[in-house]
Amino acid sequence: MKSKLFYNQLYTWYEQNHRILPWRETQDAYRIWLSEIILQQTRVEQGLPYYMRFVERFPDIESLASASEDEVLRFWQGLGYYSRARHLHQAAQMVVAQQQMPFPTTFDDIQALPGIGEYTAGAISAFAFNLPYPALDGNVYRVLSRLFDCEIPFDTTAGKKHFRQLAYDLLDTTNARLFDSAIMEFGAIYCTPSSPECAQCPLQAFCEAYAHHTVELLPVRKPRPKIKDRYLNYSIYIAHGQTLIQQRQGNDIWKHLWEFPLEESDHLQARTNIPHIDFTHILSHQRLHARFFIYKVEQLPTLSGTKVVSINDLDDYAFSRLTLRALEEWLK
């Protein structure tokens, strides 16, 4: 399969069909890294506005490193998976502290940064420096699984090792930047999860799954874990234009984000004559049932770990998407 014809077909398709995206128009490793972190667990359409706001506020790694974590989280607000933003910030500070500006230039040094795994290190290495590393995202896993008609679950340890070898075997080592861009884009907009147009596919002659009529069965993933239900009872206290918020601690979801005083229990509570707003919020392995009770009081209660803030200043704090939904409903 690793042939001049295969590459020509793939590259011709890419040149004619790829989307124009700002991180593709640069070889700036910082901006490529930023795009890769934002696009983890995030669609391009959703991530693009965040990327544009980030590079406007943090145009280089020094500006990101010198910002506070609260500010970085606020610019990330709504994207979810907030550990990505914390690792982004930590990595920027590490690069500046180690005087590796404007960005590390080897795969090993890139992968040593917080929040950067093998895929992201490979993508940055190829896109910024044209180094011969594959970029194995979900789209590429899907393309490889179909090209090679591979039934091994790609999200297991054995599967990742197998697909990594397939990617290296297929990689155009003379032009990794173009190859990785093309195969990722091909998976994103042509070799889609369902109903790809196989009859007109430019890579049809190389696709074993097409020959074996197994395209719709691939890729294979391991069984998903059972979703856990959690019940969150929030209290929004309002007194003379002020309210109480607290910052989440520990290693639970939404670490270091702000929220209203919370009581977690095994059910949503009923509180007589207290108005409330209910939401269900789905995370990757958790289903959150949230109830926001609204208390209009003459004086805010004294609660350990909380902070008194003006309601008009709530935009200065980073909240989870769940809390933002409650704020939007409450303040509309």
Side-chain angles (χ1 to χ4, degrees), residues 137-147 187-188 191-193 218-219:
D137 72 347
N139 295 311
V140 177
Y141 278 122
R142 182 167 58 256
V143 174
L144 292 176
S145 72
R146 290 171 173 173
L147 286 175
C191 192
T192 51
L218 299 170

Side-chain angles (χ1 to χ4, degrees), residues 29-47:
Y30 166 72
R31 296 194 175 201
I32 291 169
W33 167 55
L34 178 61
S35 73
E36 289 297 332
I37 299 302
I38 287 176
L39 294 178
Q40 292 172 8
Q41 309 290 339
T42 303
R43 299 187 311 276
V44 168
E45 295 77 12
Q46 181 188 8

Side-chain angles (χ1 to χ4, degrees), residues 159-199:
K160 289 177 182 178
K161 182 178 179 180
H162 182 76
F163 277 94
R164 187 183 309 120
Q165 188 59 54
L166 291 179
Y168 271 105
D169 290 343
L170 193 60
L171 179 66
D172 181 357
T173 55
T174 64
N175 199 344
R177 179 184 291 125
L178 176 58
F179 175 82
D180 285 345
S181 298
I183 198 167
M184 290 173 70
E185 188 75 337
F186 187 75
I189 66 176
Y190 196 97
C191 192
T192 51
S194 60
S195 303
E197 296 181 7
C198 296

Side-chain angles (χ1 to χ4, degrees), residues 308-322:
V308 177
V309 297
S310 167
I311 292 173
N312 292 331
D313 292 337
L314 288 175
D315 285 344
D316 294 337
Y317 298 86
F319 295 96
S320 70
R321 180 59 190 150
L322 170 63

